[in-house]
Amino acid sequence: MIKQTFLNLPEDKREKILSAARNELTRVPFYDARIATIVREAGIPRGSFYQYFDSLNDVFVAVLRDIEKKKLKNFVQFLTESQGDLFEAAIKMFDSEFDYLTNNKPGHLIQNIFNIAKIDGGPSIGPNNPGFEEVFALIKTESLNLKGHNDLFSLLMLFFFTIGENIRLSILNEHSKHDAQRCFLTQINFVKYGAKKK
Amino acid sequence: MIKQTFLNLPEDKREKILSAARNELTRVPFYDARIATIVREAGIPRGSFYQYFDSLNDVFVAVLRDIEKKKLKNFVQFLTESQGDLFEAAIKMFDSEFDYLTNNKPGHLIQNIFNIAKIDGGPSIGPNNPGFEEVFALIKTESLNLKGHNDLFSLLMLFFFTIGENIRLSILNEHSKHDAQRCFLTQINFVKYGAKKK
DNA sequence: TGACTATATGACAATCTGTCATATATCTTT
DNA sequence: AAAGATATATGACAGATTGTCATATAGTCA
């Protein structure tokens, strides 16, 4: 559990701890991460760590939440830019996510982040995140084949799966961005126009 | 790395180690798993463990591969039963996977397995698994809107994402099977008929 | 049989974890 | 402003865990 004490911390100290944890996740695969490394870099005593978190995993969850907040913000922007067109926004999102996860941060961070997301919660961005209603409201539904509110929910989930898993696999298998993008676009088109012949 | 020594082991000893590892993954979340527990249950000395694997993670990868082999076999069967109809086979697969992951094995195994899959490789079942060509050959493509071989590949990936992620999230969020199934069917229908109005 | 290779074994140093008693800061009340 | 109450900080430490290594054993081949 992430303890209240951590949330009460002054912004800069909290940021220093998150940053050290992010570096640790970049340095080694998840299961080789050490509390010792984080507290050393953050310059806090070991005891303090346990004042803020129950376990190593919790600090990583904190890192994840931090990243996801930024992602959600991006998606809202893309949705606005494309006047509520979900397909267009998803394509922009794929592009931005891919770049963020490949260029911005080398090392093990990418796999680890997906990994923590699997333990901790929903897809990188998804209906469970706070602030999701905002996204919901931005989507133009007139040209979509929806039977109810739940259908939009399911459709969104499908997009988020697809973005996340395509990126994850492409990085894992060392495919080029171009290949990953083509695969993703094909899938988006199936969802848009249907895979079954008329 | 899973070492050759492990693969050279007699069937029953290998099975005993895999079984102990599976139990450990059921007992605790991934990051609390201990080599000590596994060697104790399997009745092998600690040194032997390192003769077979480089790290704890590797033995879990071995467990994962074992499970996935069985899953692939199921999918081939479903595809045969439904005369190559991918949509029908996917629905059967969802059902079978869901039951396997929820009823068959309580505890932490489910999340851990997804988790290892994220580090280790593709979706639970996917184009990267050995024996995948068999699946490919079974699919009836005449009624599908495919522009090439790669399109079928992308479509399959999409199905596997969707099955896996729906199950994972439904278990994580403690949704009922019925709800998860409904969401999944909606998504499958988007893929089949398209989400965009004509 | 002897040489060579593969596997088995458990003790051990180095490292890591989570706890705890104590110190310090901050806030509250009178 | 003093005293009491609450929140946070600190680092030493016992117990647990890791990966290595020297040595023992088994198997193979000539």
Side-chain angles (χ1 to χ4, degrees):
Chain A
M1 219 190 52
I2 301 172
K3 299 186 186 173
Q4 189 57 42
T5 312
F6 177 69
L7 302 171
N8 291 344
L9 244 37
E11 177 75 25
D12 60 333
K13 189 169 187 179
R14 208 167 53 230
E15 192 46 55
K16 205 156 78 177
I17 294 167
L18 284 179
S19 162
R22 206 163 31 236
N23 286 344
E24 180 66 353
L25 283 180
T26 306
R27 188 180 68 88
V28 288
F30 184 73
Y31 43 85
D32 281 334
R34 297 282 175 258
I35 290 172
T37 319
I38 296 173
V39 297
R40 197 184 314 126
E41 182 182 333
I44 58 169
R46 184 178 186 77
S48 290
F49 183 92
Y50 287 92
Q51 211 87 31
Y52 307 144
F53 309 101
D54 277 333
S55 73
L56 184 61
N57 190 60
D58 292 332
V59 71
F60 293 153
V61 171
V63 170
L64 177 70
R65 293 219 208 290
D66 193 51
I67 291 180
E68 304 221 321
K69 223 191 303 176
K70 291 172 195 156
K71 286 189 186 177
L72 191 63
K73 228 173 98 186
N74 281 343
F75 192 64
V76 166
Q77 203 204 315
F78 295 143
L79 217 39
T80 309
E81 279 174 22
S82 55
Q83 275 109 16
D85 183 326
L86 196 52
F87 300 99
E88 210 176 312
I91 289 166
K92 283 182 183 181
M93 188 67 183
F94 179 90
D95 197 62
S96 134
E97 287 278 281
F98 193 99
D99 290 344
Y100 176 72
L101 288 172
T102 52
N103 301 337
N104 223 10
K105 305 265 176 178
H108 296 268
L109 186 68
I110 303 160
Q111 287 301 324
N112 286 333
I113 283 299
F114 275 109
N115 202 17
I116 295 160
K118 300 307 154 188
I119 303 180
D120 172 55
S124 297
I125 291 181
N128 299 307
N129 291 40
F132 194 74
E133 302 72 24
E134 197 184 348
V135 171
F136 232 75
L138 278 170
I139 298 168
K140 207 176 55 190
T141 53
E142 298 96 62
S143 60
L144 296 176
N145 237 326
L146 305 174
K147 290 198 189 77
H149 197 261
N150 271 336
D151 277 17
L152 181 54
F153 192 89
S154 300
L155 183 57
L156 263 171
M157 269 179 77
L158 184 55
F159 277 112
F160 293 130
F161 292 165
T162 308
I163 292 173
E165 291 290 275
N166 270 292
I167 294 175
R168 187 179 65 78
L169 285 175
S170 99
I171 290 166
L172 192 71
N173 300 324
E174 299 181 10
H175 294 153
S176 70
K177 179 174 177 180
H178 181 262
D179 283 353
Q181 215 156 20
R182 207 170 37 153
C183 182
F184 174 70
L185 282 174
T186 305
Q187 292 169 348
I188 286 291
N189 275 327
F190 282 139
V191 176
K192 197 169 181 180
Y193 301 114
K196 195 174 153 59
K197 267 191 192 148
K198 273 133 220 147
Chain B
M1 217 191 51
I2 301 174
K3 299 187 187 173
Q4 189 57 42
T5 313
F6 177 69
L7 302 171
N8 290 345
L9 243 39
E11 176 75 24
D12 59 333
K13 189 169 188 178
R14 208 168 52 231
E15 191 46 54
K16 206 155 78 176
I17 294 167
L18 284 179
S19 162
R22 204 163 33 234
N23 286 344
E24 180 66 353
L25 282 180
T26 305
R27 187 179 69 88
V28 288
F30 184 73
Y31 42 85
D32 281 335
R34 297 286 175 253
I35 290 172
T37 320
I38 296 173
V39 298
R40 197 185 315 125
E41 182 181 332
I44 59 168
R46 184 178 186 78
S48 290
F49 182 92
Y50 287 93
Q51 210 88 28
Y52 306 145
F53 309 101
D54 276 333
S55 73
L56 184 62
N57 189 61
D58 291 333
V59 69
F60 293 153
V61 170
V63 170
L64 176 70
R65 292 219 209 291
D66 193 51
I67 291 180
E68 304 221 321
K69 223 192 302 177
K70 290 171 194 157
K71 286 190 186 177
L72 190 63
K73 229 175 97 187
N74 281 342
F75 192 64
V76 165
Q77 203 205 314
F78 295 144
L79 218 38
T80 309
E81 279 174 21
S82 55
Q83 275 110 15
D85 183 326
L86 196 51
F87 300 100
E88 209 176 314
I91 290 166
K92 283 181 183 184
M93 189 67 182
F94 179 90
D95 197 63
S96 133
E97 287 278 280
F98 193 98
D99 289 344
Y100 175 71
L101 288 171
T102 51
N103 301 336
N104 224 8
K105 306 263 178 181
H108 296 267
L109 186 68
I110 303 161
Q111 287 301 323
N112 286 332
I113 281 300
F114 274 110
N115 203 15
I116 295 161
K118 300 307 155 189
I119 303 180
D120 170 58
S124 298
I125 291 182
N128 298 306
N129 291 41
F132 194 74
E133 302 73 24
E134 196 186 347
V135 170
F136 232 75
L138 277 171
I139 298 169
K140 207 174 57 190
T141 53
E142 297 96 61
S143 60
L144 297 176
N145 238 327
L146 305 172
K147 291 201 187 74
H149 197 262
N150 270 335
D151 277 17
L152 180 53
F153 191 88
S154 301
L155 183 57
L156 264 170
M157 270 179 76
L158 184 55
F159 277 112
F160 293 130
F161 292 165
T162 309
I163 292 174
E165 290 292 276
N166 269 292
I167 294 176
R168 187 179 66 78
L169 285 175
S170 97
I171 291 166
L172 193 71
N173 300 324
E174 300 182 8
H175 294 154
S176 68
K177 178 174 177 181
H178 181 261
D179 283 353
Q181 215 157 21
R182 209 169 39 152
C183 182
F184 174 70
L185 282 174
T186 305
Q187 292 169 348
I188 286 292
N189 275 326
F190 282 139
V191 177
K192 197 169 180 179
Y193 302 114
K196 196 175 152 60
K197 267 193 193 148
K198 272 131 223 152

